[in-house]
Amino acid sequence: MGKYWKVLRLFWSAAIAAELEYRINFLIATLSSLGNLAGSLFGLFLFYRTGYTFAGWSWEAALIVLGIFTLLQGFSAIFLAPNLNRIVRHVQEGTLDFVLLKPIRSQFWLSTYTISPWGVPDLIFGSIIIAYAGQRLGLKVENYFLSLLPLFCGLLILYSLWFMLGATSIWFVKIYNVTEVLRGLVEAGRYPMIAYPATYRFFFTFIVPVAFLTTIPAEILLGRVQINWLIGTALLSVALFWISTYFWRFALRFYTSASS
């Protein structure tokens, strides 16, 4: 593990140094995050402006979901998009060979090689929204601590799904549209699942587990979710991560080296 932490520090220090050469990008990323957040708030406001509420979800409770979704966007921009979208390029250009020859796990290398600080504004704005809504709802510190586990599990679920899609590039080289479809489906997580018809709720819970990314962590933060959902979230995240690992190993059996 010590070797991996040392490699991780080298990866990220080099990545941040390279990204900070273009500091104006941070301003652009901040403005982009503000624009996206304003659009999300406006969309949510359209539902609540006439006094209508999603069943069991006040305005402040719905803001919690939106705040968690914004955190998820920040995490994706910092860690997932810069790394996992490059898997396709590695396969196309044959540079995956060099990754496989390195004395560390290829999945670790592909998942952590770089980071982008331009997702930090989303993390800040998401935290502000959650803190504001939590203060209005009178949430206690223990509520926030309890929500850390399902939030981490949600991040692990999103990573596992994204990585498995990236791994399919070994068979289907051009899969950029597929990852965009996943990102589009995750967009549904900006609102509580109760906002959607029953068929969509089933799809976003048991087919593409978007509900486990935002709604369930929000309900745990609000202190009203059943323990079986918490256990289910943890089990699902571990299972998907395990599947992503073995799926990658399976996919590598079909990888044809650029040098062969």
Side-chain angles (χ1 to χ4, degrees):
M1 285 299 296
K3 176 179 70 174
Y4 283 88
W5 281 114
K6 183 178 180 180
V7 170
L8 203 60
R9 288 196 300 270
L10 291 173
F11 280 170
W12 289 0
S13 60
I16 291 174
E19 291 287 352
L20 290 180
E21 292 181 7
Y22 309 94
R23 299 182 184 181
I24 191 65
N25 286 352
F26 187 79
L27 176 60
I28 296 173
T30 301
L31 294 175
S32 176
S33 298
L34 278 174
N36 291 333
L37 182 58
S40 299
L41 286 171
F42 180 71
L44 192 61
F45 172 75
L46 291 179
F47 287 105
Y48 284 85
R49 65 187 177 87
T50 60
Y52 171 82
T53 60
F54 300 132
W57 292 87
S58 64
W59 166 256
E60 289 80 9
L63 283 179
I64 294 287
V65 177
L66 180 57
I68 293 177
F69 173 79
T70 306
L71 290 179
L72 204 67
Q73 280 191 315
F75 171 79
S76 299
I78 293 172
F79 298 103
L80 300 187
N83 288 295
L84 303 188
N85 286 347
R86 293 161 62 102
I87 297 177
V88 180
R89 195 196 319 169
H90 284 304
V91 175
Q92 288 178 326
E93 299 177 357
T95 52
L96 183 60
D97 293 9
F98 302 106
V99 176
L100 298 176
L101 290 173
K102 297 186 183 300
I104 58 174
R105 291 181 180 272
S106 57
Q107 183 174 356
F108 175 84
W109 196 98
L110 292 168
S111 302
T112 63
Y113 178 72
T114 187
I115 59 174
S116 173
W118 315 132
V120 171
D122 279 328
L123 296 183
I124 295 173
F125 296 144
S127 300
I128 291 174
I129 291 175
I130 293 173
Y132 167 77
Q135 189 273 332
R136 294 290 300 272
L137 292 168
L139 298 182
K140 299 179 180 179
V141 176
E142 50 265 32
N143 292 90
Y144 292 98
F145 279 114
L146 285 174
S147 66
L148 291 178
L149 174 60
L151 183 58
F152 172 78
C153 291
L155 299 177
L156 191 60
I157 289 171
L158 181 59
Y159 160 78
S160 301
L161 294 174
W162 203 324
F163 186 81
M164 284 189 284
L165 284 178
T168 61
S169 63
I170 290 179
W171 294 283
F172 314 105
V173 178
K174 295 182 179 181
I175 62 160
Y176 291 108
N177 291 337
V178 178
T179 56
E180 288 303 313
V181 169
L182 175 63
R183 295 177 70 171
L185 291 173
V186 172
E187 290 285 328
R190 69 176 68 239
Y191 304 125
M193 283 295 107
I194 197 65
Y196 302 99
T199 303
Y200 289 90
R201 292 201 299 270
F202 178 86
F203 177 81
F204 287 126
T205 302
F206 300 105
I207 307 301
V208 181
V210 176
F212 292 92
L213 304 181
T214 56
T215 298
I216 291 178
E219 288 189 325
I220 292 175
L221 177 57
L222 295 168
R224 63 190 192 192
V225 76
Q226 297 178 357
I227 189 64
N228 56 328
W229 281 105
L230 178 58
I231 295 174
T233 302
L235 291 177
L236 177 64
S237 64
V238 172
L240 283 176
F241 180 75
W242 180 84
I243 292 172
S244 72
T245 299
Y246 279 86
F247 183 74
W248 175 245
R249 295 177 183 175
F250 173 75
L252 287 178
R253 298 177 185 176
F254 298 87
Y255 175 65
T256 302
S257 172
S259 60
S260 62

